[in-house]
Amino acid sequence: MSQPDLSTRQLRAFLALAEQRSFTRAAQQVHLSQPAFSALIRALEAALDARLFDRSTRSVELTAEGRLFETSARQLLGDFGAAVGHLRDHLQLRTGRVSLAALPSLAAGWLPAILAEYKAQWPGVELSLHDSLSDDCLDLLRGGVVEFALASTGAQSVGLLTEVLCSDGFHLVCRKDHPLAKRKAAELKLKDLTPYPFVHLARNSSVRQRLDAALHPMQLNTVLEVEHLATVAGMVEAGLGISVVPALTLFHFQRPALVTRALKLAGLKRRIYVVQREGESLSVATQALRQLIVKRLKQST
């Protein structure tokens, strides 16, 4: 047996009549003419194949079936109202959840201020951030763990939609007493770095991949290979070597003993992309954060 097709309009009319016990008063309550209201009740009884009211010239009373249906009707309308309210809260960013992945340099650099601005405007939205290397960011995206990612790879990835967020230049980092610290940025070339001990990031990092591609076939004098930029900063500060890092990571190297020099070299750039799954629309809350990130970064570059 197929389920009856009921409307919220019918349920509200039924409950009004159950409360008022009068077709005239119930019709006025739901702002309908009495003939239209009576037709609505008849249609409801026909859909349920049950008599819900006993009618007389003096009174209108619920039948046994009507009393049984009253509880369900109130629950149905309550559930529907809650669902609509939840959706409205979601659409108006009073509730919701946003999950994103971002390169550690972005997650620790300019992203915190943007997330703080977002939370100040929409405090009811829950934020989830995964700070991971670029390939891991894309894996989280493909796996459905996050809705979008800020990564430096993925431009040609099947099933992913990418937009260039910005281009990130590279800088030499060394101690103030290092010979290269006296050189002007315009004078520096990659071959000038090869004689000196070099602190490298891990091979699976986007920074290392861009640097290796720009250097090929030259080799650097690697003295250490580490996972984190803060570690690079500590090692360079201690005089163990020099390094080359993206501009967006320079906040790690703002130390009295260190200097940075921009490397104006063709090919030594990395692009930062905002990436999402192709063919999938973002939630309202997520789209709002994505737009804020793009807007603020464009204002700062």
Short mmCIF file of all heavy atoms in Angstrom, two decimals, residues 169-235:
data_model
loop_
_atom_site.label_atom_id
_atom_site.label_comp_id
_atom_site.label_asym_id
_atom_site.label_seq_id
_atom_site.Cartn_x
_atom_site.Cartn_y
_atom_site.Cartn_z
N GLY A 169 57.45 33.58 -4.64
CA GLY A 169 58.86 33.63 -4.96
C GLY A 169 59.71 32.98 -3.88
O GLY A 169 59.22 32.65 -2.79
N PHE A 170 61.01 32.83 -4.17
CA PHE A 170 61.92 32.17 -3.22
C PHE A 170 62.98 33.14 -2.73
O PHE A 170 63.36 34.08 -3.44
CB PHE A 170 62.58 30.96 -3.88
CG PHE A 170 61.69 29.74 -3.90
CD1 PHE A 170 60.57 29.70 -4.72
CD2 PHE A 170 61.97 28.63 -3.12
CE1 PHE A 170 59.75 28.58 -4.75
CE2 PHE A 170 61.16 27.52 -3.13
CZ PHE A 170 60.04 27.49 -3.95
N HIS A 171 63.47 32.89 -1.52
CA HIS A 171 64.47 33.74 -0.89
C HIS A 171 65.61 32.90 -0.32
O HIS A 171 65.39 31.81 0.22
CB HIS A 171 63.86 34.55 0.26
CG HIS A 171 62.94 35.64 -0.19
ND1 HIS A 171 63.16 36.97 0.09
CD2 HIS A 171 61.80 35.61 -0.91
CE1 HIS A 171 62.19 37.71 -0.43
NE2 HIS A 171 61.34 36.89 -1.04
N LEU A 172 66.81 33.43 -0.45
CA LEU A 172 67.94 32.88 0.27
C LEU A 172 67.84 33.29 1.73
O LEU A 172 67.47 34.42 2.04
CB LEU A 172 69.25 33.43 -0.32
CG LEU A 172 70.51 33.25 0.53
CD1 LEU A 172 70.94 31.79 0.54
CD2 LEU A 172 71.63 34.15 0.03
N VAL A 173 68.18 32.35 2.62
CA VAL A 173 68.24 32.63 4.05
C VAL A 173 69.63 32.25 4.56
O VAL A 173 70.09 31.13 4.30
CB VAL A 173 67.17 31.85 4.83
CG1 VAL A 173 67.25 32.20 6.32
CG2 VAL A 173 65.79 32.14 4.31
N CYS A 174 70.28 33.17 5.25
CA CYS A 174 71.60 32.87 5.82
C CYS A 174 71.83 33.75 7.03
O CYS A 174 71.05 34.67 7.32
CB CYS A 174 72.70 33.08 4.78
SG CYS A 174 72.86 34.79 4.20
N ARG A 175 72.92 33.48 7.73
CA ARG A 175 73.29 34.34 8.86
C ARG A 175 73.80 35.68 8.35
O ARG A 175 74.28 35.80 7.22
CB ARG A 175 74.37 33.65 9.70
CG ARG A 175 73.84 32.54 10.60
CD ARG A 175 75.00 31.84 11.29
NE ARG A 175 75.85 32.77 12.02
CZ ARG A 175 75.77 33.02 13.33
NH1 ARG A 175 74.86 32.36 14.05
NH2 ARG A 175 76.58 33.87 13.92
N LYS A 176 73.72 36.68 9.22
CA LYS A 176 74.20 38.01 8.85
C LYS A 176 75.71 38.04 8.58
O LYS A 176 76.18 38.89 7.82
CB LYS A 176 73.87 39.02 9.96
CG LYS A 176 72.41 39.43 10.00
CD LYS A 176 72.17 40.49 11.06
CE LYS A 176 70.73 40.97 11.02
NZ LYS A 176 70.45 41.99 12.06
N ASP A 177 76.44 37.11 9.20
CA ASP A 177 77.89 37.09 9.00
C ASP A 177 78.32 36.15 7.88
O ASP A 177 79.51 35.90 7.70
CB ASP A 177 78.60 36.71 10.31
CG ASP A 177 78.13 35.36 10.86
OD1 ASP A 177 77.30 34.70 10.19
OD2 ASP A 177 78.58 34.97 11.95
N HIS A 178 77.36 35.64 7.11
CA HIS A 178 77.69 34.75 6.00
C HIS A 178 78.15 35.58 4.79
O HIS A 178 77.63 36.69 4.57
CB HIS A 178 76.46 33.91 5.62
CG HIS A 178 76.77 32.75 4.73
ND1 HIS A 178 76.91 32.88 3.37
CD2 HIS A 178 76.99 31.44 5.01
CE1 HIS A 178 77.17 31.69 2.85
NE2 HIS A 178 77.24 30.80 3.82
N PRO A 179 79.09 35.08 3.98
CA PRO A 179 79.54 35.83 2.79
C PRO A 179 78.41 36.24 1.87
O PRO A 179 78.46 37.33 1.26
CB PRO A 179 80.51 34.86 2.12
CG PRO A 179 81.01 33.99 3.22
CD PRO A 179 79.86 33.85 4.19
N LEU A 180 77.38 35.40 1.72
CA LEU A 180 76.28 35.73 0.80
C LEU A 180 75.41 36.87 1.33
O LEU A 180 74.66 37.48 0.56
CB LEU A 180 75.42 34.50 0.54
CG LEU A 180 76.08 33.37 -0.27
CD1 LEU A 180 75.13 32.19 -0.39
CD2 LEU A 180 76.49 33.86 -1.65
N ALA A 181 75.49 37.15 2.62
CA ALA A 181 74.68 38.22 3.19
C ALA A 181 75.09 39.58 2.66
O ALA A 181 74.29 40.53 2.68
CB ALA A 181 74.78 38.20 4.71
N LYS A 182 76.32 39.67 2.18
CA LYS A 182 76.82 40.95 1.66
C LYS A 182 76.47 41.14 0.19
O LYS A 182 76.66 42.23 -0.35
CB LYS A 182 78.34 41.01 1.84
CG LYS A 182 78.80 40.91 3.29
CD LYS A 182 80.30 40.90 3.39
CE LYS A 182 80.77 40.83 4.84
NZ LYS A 182 80.35 39.61 5.52
N ARG A 183 75.95 40.12 -0.45
CA ARG A 183 75.61 40.21 -1.87
C ARG A 183 74.23 40.83 -2.05
O ARG A 183 73.31 40.58 -1.28
CB ARG A 183 75.61 38.81 -2.50
CG ARG A 183 76.95 38.08 -2.38
CD ARG A 183 77.94 38.54 -3.41
NE ARG A 183 77.49 38.20 -4.75
CZ ARG A 183 77.73 37.01 -5.32
NH1 ARG A 183 78.42 36.07 -4.66
NH2 ARG A 183 77.33 36.76 -6.54
N LYS A 184 74.06 41.63 -3.09
CA LYS A 184 72.75 42.19 -3.42
C LYS A 184 71.90 41.11 -4.08
O LYS A 184 72.41 40.24 -4.78
CB LYS A 184 72.91 43.38 -4.36
CG LYS A 184 73.61 44.57 -3.71
CD LYS A 184 73.72 45.72 -4.69
CE LYS A 184 74.42 46.92 -4.05
NZ LYS A 184 74.57 48.04 -5.01
N ALA A 185 70.59 41.21 -3.87
CA ALA A 185 69.69 40.20 -4.41
C ALA A 185 69.82 40.08 -5.93
O ALA A 185 69.80 38.98 -6.48
CB ALA A 185 68.24 40.54 -4.04
N ALA A 186 69.99 41.21 -6.61
CA ALA A 186 70.07 41.19 -8.08
C ALA A 186 71.31 40.46 -8.57
O ALA A 186 71.36 40.00 -9.72
CB ALA A 186 70.05 42.61 -8.61
N GLU A 187 72.30 40.33 -7.70
CA GLU A 187 73.56 39.70 -8.10
C GLU A 187 73.56 38.18 -7.88
O GLU A 187 74.39 37.48 -8.44
CB GLU A 187 74.73 40.29 -7.30
CG GLU A 187 74.92 41.78 -7.50
CD GLU A 187 75.95 42.35 -6.56
OE1 GLU A 187 76.39 41.63 -5.64
OE2 GLU A 187 76.32 43.51 -6.75
N LEU A 188 72.63 37.69 -7.08
CA LEU A 188 72.67 36.28 -6.69
C LEU A 188 72.16 35.36 -7.79
O LEU A 188 71.13 35.63 -8.42
CB LEU A 188 71.81 36.08 -5.43
CG LEU A 188 72.43 36.57 -4.12
CD1 LEU A 188 71.39 36.51 -3.00
CD2 LEU A 188 73.65 35.73 -3.75
N LYS A 189 72.87 34.27 -7.98
CA LYS A 189 72.46 33.20 -8.90
C LYS A 189 72.53 31.89 -8.14
O LYS A 189 73.24 31.76 -7.14
CB LYS A 189 73.38 33.17 -10.12
CG LYS A 189 73.29 34.42 -10.98
CD LYS A 189 74.21 34.32 -12.18
CE LYS A 189 73.99 35.48 -13.15
NZ LYS A 189 74.08 36.81 -12.51
N LEU A 190 71.80 30.92 -8.65
CA LEU A 190 71.75 29.65 -7.95
C LEU A 190 73.14 29.01 -7.81
O LEU A 190 73.45 28.39 -6.80
CB LEU A 190 70.79 28.68 -8.66
CG LEU A 190 69.30 28.89 -8.37
CD1 LEU A 190 68.46 27.92 -9.18
CD2 LEU A 190 69.00 28.73 -6.89
N LYS A 191 73.96 29.17 -8.83
CA LYS A 191 75.30 28.56 -8.77
C LYS A 191 76.14 29.16 -7.64
O LYS A 191 77.09 28.54 -7.16
CB LYS A 191 76.01 28.71 -10.11
CG LYS A 191 76.36 30.15 -10.48
CD LYS A 191 77.09 30.20 -11.82
CE LYS A 191 77.50 31.63 -12.17
NZ LYS A 191 78.24 31.68 -13.46
N ASP A 192 75.77 30.40 -7.19
CA ASP A 192 76.50 31.02 -6.09
C ASP A 192 76.26 30.28 -4.77
O ASP A 192 77.02 30.46 -3.80
CB ASP A 192 76.09 32.48 -5.93
CG ASP A 192 76.42 33.32 -7.16
OD1 ASP A 192 77.42 33.01 -7.83
OD2 ASP A 192 75.66 34.25 -7.45
N LEU A 193 75.21 29.48 -4.71
CA LEU A 193 74.86 28.80 -3.47
C LEU A 193 75.56 27.45 -3.33
O LEU A 193 75.67 26.92 -2.22
CB LEU A 193 73.34 28.56 -3.39
CG LEU A 193 72.41 29.74 -3.73
CD1 LEU A 193 70.96 29.33 -3.49
CD2 LEU A 193 72.75 30.97 -2.92
N THR A 194 76.00 26.89 -4.44
CA THR A 194 76.50 25.51 -4.43
C THR A 194 77.73 25.26 -3.55
O THR A 194 77.87 24.16 -3.02
CB THR A 194 76.78 25.03 -5.87
OG1 THR A 194 77.71 25.94 -6.49
CG2 THR A 194 75.49 24.99 -6.68
N PRO A 195 78.64 26.23 -3.34
CA PRO A 195 79.80 25.92 -2.50
C PRO A 195 79.49 25.80 -1.01
O PRO A 195 80.31 25.24 -0.26
CB PRO A 195 80.74 27.12 -2.74
CG PRO A 195 80.24 27.80 -3.95
CD PRO A 195 78.77 27.57 -3.94
N TYR A 196 78.35 26.27 -0.56
CA TYR A 196 78.11 26.39 0.88
C TYR A 196 77.23 25.25 1.40
O TYR A 196 76.33 24.75 0.69
CB TYR A 196 77.44 27.72 1.18
CG TYR A 196 78.26 28.91 0.74
CD1 TYR A 196 77.94 29.61 -0.42
CD2 TYR A 196 79.37 29.32 1.48
CE1 TYR A 196 78.70 30.69 -0.83
CE2 TYR A 196 80.14 30.41 1.08
CZ TYR A 196 79.80 31.08 -0.08
OH TYR A 196 80.56 32.13 -0.49
N PRO A 197 77.46 24.82 2.65
CA PRO A 197 76.58 23.82 3.26
C PRO A 197 75.12 24.28 3.20
O PRO A 197 74.83 25.45 3.46
CB PRO A 197 77.08 23.74 4.71
CG PRO A 197 78.50 24.19 4.63
CD PRO A 197 78.54 25.24 3.55
N PHE A 198 74.24 23.35 2.86
CA PHE A 198 72.84 23.71 2.60
C PHE A 198 71.92 22.86 3.45
O PHE A 198 72.06 21.63 3.54
CB PHE A 198 72.52 23.50 1.11
CG PHE A 198 71.28 24.19 0.65
CD1 PHE A 198 71.32 25.47 0.12
CD2 PHE A 198 70.04 23.56 0.76
CE1 PHE A 198 70.18 26.12 -0.30
CE2 PHE A 198 68.88 24.20 0.35
CZ PHE A 198 68.94 25.48 -0.18
N VAL A 199 70.93 23.52 4.06
CA VAL A 199 69.90 22.84 4.85
C VAL A 199 68.67 22.67 3.98
O VAL A 199 68.02 23.66 3.61
CB VAL A 199 69.56 23.61 6.14
CG1 VAL A 199 68.48 22.87 6.93
CG2 VAL A 199 70.81 23.83 6.98
N HIS A 200 68.36 21.44 3.65
CA HIS A 200 67.26 21.13 2.72
C HIS A 200 66.00 20.73 3.48
O HIS A 200 66.08 20.13 4.57
CB HIS A 200 67.65 19.96 1.83
CG HIS A 200 67.92 20.35 0.41
ND1 HIS A 200 67.10 21.17 -0.33
CD2 HIS A 200 68.92 19.98 -0.45
CE1 HIS A 200 67.58 21.31 -1.56
NE2 HIS A 200 68.69 20.60 -1.64
N LEU A 201 64.86 21.00 2.89
CA LEU A 201 63.60 20.40 3.34
C LEU A 201 63.46 19.01 2.72
O LEU A 201 64.14 18.67 1.74
CB LEU A 201 62.42 21.28 2.95
CG LEU A 201 62.16 22.48 3.86
CD1 LEU A 201 61.17 23.43 3.21
CD2 LEU A 201 61.64 22.03 5.23
N ALA A 202 62.57 18.21 3.28
CA ALA A 202 62.37 16.84 2.82
C ALA A 202 61.98 16.81 1.35
O ALA A 202 61.35 17.74 0.82
CB ALA A 202 61.30 16.16 3.66
N ARG A 203 62.31 15.71 0.69
CA ARG A 203 62.10 15.59 -0.75
C ARG A 203 60.63 15.60 -1.15
O ARG A 203 60.30 15.89 -2.30
CB ARG A 203 62.76 14.30 -1.26
CG ARG A 203 64.28 14.31 -1.12
CD ARG A 203 64.89 13.00 -1.59
NE ARG A 203 66.32 12.99 -1.32
CZ ARG A 203 67.23 13.49 -2.15
NH1 ARG A 203 66.85 14.03 -3.29
NH2 ARG A 203 68.51 13.44 -1.84
N ASN A 204 59.73 15.26 -0.23
CA ASN A 204 58.31 15.24 -0.58
C ASN A 204 57.64 16.59 -0.36
O ASN A 204 56.43 16.73 -0.55
CB ASN A 204 57.57 14.16 0.22
CG ASN A 204 57.64 14.39 1.72
OD1 ASN A 204 58.50 15.12 2.21
ND2 ASN A 204 56.73 13.75 2.45
N SER A 205 58.38 17.61 0.03
CA SER A 205 57.81 18.94 0.21
C SER A 205 57.78 19.69 -1.12
O SER A 205 58.64 19.50 -1.98
CB SER A 205 58.61 19.74 1.24
OG SER A 205 59.87 20.10 0.72
N SER A 206 56.78 20.55 -1.28
CA SER A 206 56.68 21.32 -2.52
C SER A 206 57.86 22.27 -2.69
O SER A 206 58.30 22.56 -3.80
CB SER A 206 55.36 22.10 -2.54
OG SER A 206 55.30 23.03 -1.47
N VAL A 207 58.39 22.77 -1.56
CA VAL A 207 59.55 23.67 -1.62
C VAL A 207 60.75 22.93 -2.23
O VAL A 207 61.42 23.44 -3.13
CB VAL A 207 59.89 24.19 -0.21
CG1 VAL A 207 61.16 25.03 -0.25
CG2 VAL A 207 58.72 24.99 0.36
N ARG A 208 61.02 21.74 -1.72
CA ARG A 208 62.16 20.96 -2.22
C ARG A 208 61.97 20.60 -3.69
O ARG A 208 62.92 20.68 -4.50
CB ARG A 208 62.30 19.69 -1.38
CG ARG A 208 63.39 18.73 -1.85
CD ARG A 208 64.79 19.33 -1.67
NE ARG A 208 65.80 18.37 -2.05
CZ ARG A 208 66.32 17.46 -1.23
NH1 ARG A 208 65.88 17.38 0.03
NH2 ARG A 208 67.25 16.64 -1.63
N GLN A 209 60.76 20.24 -4.07
CA GLN A 209 60.51 19.84 -5.45
C GLN A 209 60.75 21.00 -6.42
O GLN A 209 61.33 20.82 -7.49
CB GLN A 209 59.09 19.30 -5.58
CG GLN A 209 58.89 17.97 -4.89
CD GLN A 209 57.43 17.60 -4.67
OE1 GLN A 209 56.52 18.32 -5.12
NE2 GLN A 209 57.18 16.51 -3.98
N ARG A 210 60.31 22.20 -6.05
CA ARG A 210 60.53 23.37 -6.92
C ARG A 210 62.01 23.72 -6.99
O ARG A 210 62.53 24.04 -8.05
CB ARG A 210 59.75 24.57 -6.37
CG ARG A 210 58.26 24.44 -6.42
CD ARG A 210 57.74 24.26 -7.87
NE ARG A 210 56.30 24.05 -7.88
CZ ARG A 210 55.72 22.88 -7.66
NH1 ARG A 210 56.46 21.82 -7.42
NH2 ARG A 210 54.41 22.76 -7.71
N LEU A 211 62.69 23.64 -5.87
CA LEU A 211 64.11 23.98 -5.84
C LEU A 211 64.94 22.98 -6.64
O LEU A 211 65.82 23.37 -7.42
CB LEU A 211 64.59 24.04 -4.39
CG LEU A 211 66.01 24.55 -4.16
CD1 LEU A 211 66.19 25.94 -4.78
CD2 LEU A 211 66.31 24.60 -2.66
N ASP A 212 64.65 21.71 -6.49
CA ASP A 212 65.38 20.68 -7.25
C ASP A 212 65.17 20.86 -8.75
O ASP A 212 66.11 20.71 -9.54
CB ASP A 212 64.92 19.29 -6.82
CG ASP A 212 65.50 18.86 -5.49
OD1 ASP A 212 66.41 19.56 -4.99
OD2 ASP A 212 65.05 17.83 -4.94
N ALA A 213 63.94 21.18 -9.15
CA ALA A 213 63.65 21.37 -10.58
C ALA A 213 64.41 22.57 -11.13
O ALA A 213 64.93 22.54 -12.25
CB ALA A 213 62.15 21.55 -10.78
N ALA A 214 64.49 23.66 -10.35
CA ALA A 214 65.19 24.87 -10.80
C ALA A 214 66.69 24.66 -10.85
O ALA A 214 67.39 25.24 -11.69
CB ALA A 214 64.84 26.04 -9.89
N LEU A 215 67.23 23.84 -9.96
CA LEU A 215 68.67 23.61 -9.88
C LEU A 215 69.19 22.63 -10.92
O LEU A 215 70.36 22.71 -11.32
CB LEU A 215 69.03 23.08 -8.49
CG LEU A 215 69.18 24.11 -7.39
CD1 LEU A 215 69.16 23.42 -6.04
CD2 LEU A 215 70.47 24.89 -7.57
N HIS A 216 68.38 21.71 -11.34
CA HIS A 216 68.84 20.63 -12.22
C HIS A 216 69.62 21.17 -13.43
O HIS A 216 69.19 22.11 -14.07
CB HIS A 216 67.62 19.83 -12.71
CG HIS A 216 68.00 18.64 -13.51
ND1 HIS A 216 68.45 17.48 -12.93
CD2 HIS A 216 68.01 18.43 -14.86
CE1 HIS A 216 68.71 16.60 -13.88
NE2 HIS A 216 68.46 17.15 -15.05
N PRO A 217 70.82 20.65 -13.70
CA PRO A 217 71.46 19.46 -13.10
C PRO A 217 72.43 19.78 -11.97
O PRO A 217 73.18 18.92 -11.53
CB PRO A 217 72.21 18.88 -14.28
CG PRO A 217 72.64 20.09 -15.05
CD PRO A 217 71.54 21.11 -14.90
N MET A 218 72.44 21.02 -11.48
CA MET A 218 73.35 21.37 -10.39
C MET A 218 72.96 20.66 -9.10
O MET A 218 71.79 20.32 -8.89
CB MET A 218 73.34 22.89 -10.15
CG MET A 218 74.01 23.71 -11.24
SD MET A 218 74.14 25.47 -10.77
CE MET A 218 72.42 25.94 -10.73
N GLN A 219 73.92 20.45 -8.22
CA GLN A 219 73.71 19.82 -6.93
C GLN A 219 74.14 20.76 -5.82
O GLN A 219 75.16 21.44 -5.94
CB GLN A 219 74.49 18.51 -6.82
CG GLN A 219 74.07 17.44 -7.82
CD GLN A 219 72.68 16.89 -7.52
OE1 GLN A 219 72.32 16.71 -6.36
NE2 GLN A 219 71.89 16.64 -8.56
N LEU A 220 73.37 20.80 -4.77
CA LEU A 220 73.75 21.60 -3.61
C LEU A 220 74.54 20.75 -2.62
O LEU A 220 74.46 19.51 -2.63
CB LEU A 220 72.50 22.16 -2.93
CG LEU A 220 71.74 23.24 -3.72
CD1 LEU A 220 70.43 23.58 -3.03
CD2 LEU A 220 72.59 24.49 -3.89
N ASN A 221 75.28 21.42 -1.78
CA ASN A 221 76.12 20.76 -0.78
C ASN A 221 75.26 20.51 0.48
O ASN A 221 75.35 21.22 1.47
CB ASN A 221 77.33 21.64 -0.45
CG ASN A 221 78.23 21.03 0.59
OD1 ASN A 221 78.17 19.84 0.86
ND2 ASN A 221 79.05 21.87 1.21
N THR A 222 74.42 19.48 0.41
CA THR A 222 73.45 19.22 1.48
C THR A 222 74.15 18.76 2.75
O THR A 222 74.87 17.75 2.74
CB THR A 222 72.42 18.17 1.04
OG1 THR A 222 71.77 18.62 -0.15
CG2 THR A 222 71.39 17.93 2.13
N VAL A 223 73.89 19.46 3.83
CA VAL A 223 74.46 19.07 5.12
C VAL A 223 73.38 18.47 6.03
O VAL A 223 73.68 17.62 6.87
CB VAL A 223 75.14 20.28 5.81
CG1 VAL A 223 74.13 21.37 6.16
CG2 VAL A 223 75.89 19.84 7.05
N LEU A 224 72.15 18.90 5.84
CA LEU A 224 71.03 18.38 6.61
C LEU A 224 69.77 18.38 5.76
O LEU A 224 69.60 19.23 4.87
CB LEU A 224 70.77 19.24 7.86
CG LEU A 224 71.67 19.03 9.08
CD1 LEU A 224 71.36 20.10 10.12
CD2 LEU A 224 71.48 17.65 9.69
N GLU A 225 68.88 17.43 6.05
CA GLU A 225 67.57 17.38 5.41
C GLU A 225 66.54 17.23 6.51
O GLU A 225 66.57 16.25 7.26
CB GLU A 225 67.50 16.20 4.44
CG GLU A 225 66.24 16.16 3.61
CD GLU A 225 66.28 15.06 2.56
OE1 GLU A 225 67.15 15.12 1.67
OE2 GLU A 225 65.46 14.12 2.65
N VAL A 226 65.63 18.19 6.64
CA VAL A 226 64.69 18.22 7.76
C VAL A 226 63.26 18.34 7.26
O VAL A 226 63.01 18.60 6.07
CB VAL A 226 65.02 19.38 8.73
CG1 VAL A 226 66.41 19.21 9.31
CG2 VAL A 226 64.90 20.73 8.02
N GLU A 227 62.32 18.18 8.16
CA GLU A 227 60.90 18.16 7.80
C GLU A 227 60.21 19.52 7.92
O GLU A 227 59.28 19.80 7.18
CB GLU A 227 60.15 17.16 8.69
CG GLU A 227 60.55 15.71 8.49
CD GLU A 227 59.93 15.09 7.25
OE1 GLU A 227 58.96 15.68 6.73
OE2 GLU A 227 60.41 14.03 6.81
N HIS A 228 60.67 20.36 8.84
CA HIS A 228 59.90 21.56 9.17
C HIS A 228 60.71 22.84 8.97
O HIS A 228 61.92 22.86 9.23
CB HIS A 228 59.41 21.48 10.62
CG HIS A 228 58.59 20.25 10.90
ND1 HIS A 228 57.33 20.07 10.40
CD2 HIS A 228 58.89 19.14 11.62
CE1 HIS A 228 56.86 18.91 10.80
NE2 HIS A 228 57.78 18.32 11.54
N LEU A 229 60.01 23.88 8.55
CA LEU A 229 60.67 25.17 8.30
C LEU A 229 61.24 25.78 9.58
O LEU A 229 62.29 26.43 9.54
CB LEU A 229 59.67 26.13 7.66
CG LEU A 229 59.38 25.87 6.19
CD1 LEU A 229 58.06 26.50 5.79
CD2 LEU A 229 60.51 26.40 5.32
N ALA A 230 60.56 25.58 10.70
CA ALA A 230 61.10 26.09 11.96
C ALA A 230 62.45 25.44 12.27
O ALA A 230 63.35 26.09 12.83
CB ALA A 230 60.12 25.84 13.10
N THR A 231 62.59 24.18 11.89
CA THR A 231 63.87 23.49 12.08
C THR A 231 64.93 24.08 11.16
O THR A 231 66.09 24.27 11.56
CB THR A 231 63.71 21.98 11.82
OG1 THR A 231 62.63 21.47 12.61
CG2 THR A 231 64.99 21.23 12.17
N VAL A 232 64.54 24.37 9.92
CA VAL A 232 65.46 25.01 8.98
C VAL A 232 65.98 26.31 9.58
O VAL A 232 67.19 26.60 9.57
CB VAL A 232 64.78 25.28 7.63
CG1 VAL A 232 65.70 26.08 6.71
CG2 VAL A 232 64.40 23.97 6.95
N ALA A 233 65.06 27.11 10.12
CA ALA A 233 65.45 28.40 10.70
C ALA A 233 66.45 28.21 11.83
O ALA A 233 67.44 28.95 11.94
CB ALA A 233 64.21 29.14 11.20
N GLY A 234 66.20 27.24 12.69
CA GLY A 234 67.11 27.00 13.81
C GLY A 234 68.49 26.57 13.35
O GLY A 234 69.51 27.01 13.90
N MET A 235 68.53 25.71 12.33
CA MET A 235 69.81 25.21 11.83
C MET A 235 70.62 26.31 11.14
O MET A 235 71.83 26.41 11.30
CB MET A 235 69.58 24.04 10.88
CG MET A 235 68.92 22.84 11.52
SD MET A 235 69.87 22.21 12.92
CE MET A 235 68.72 20.99 13.57
#
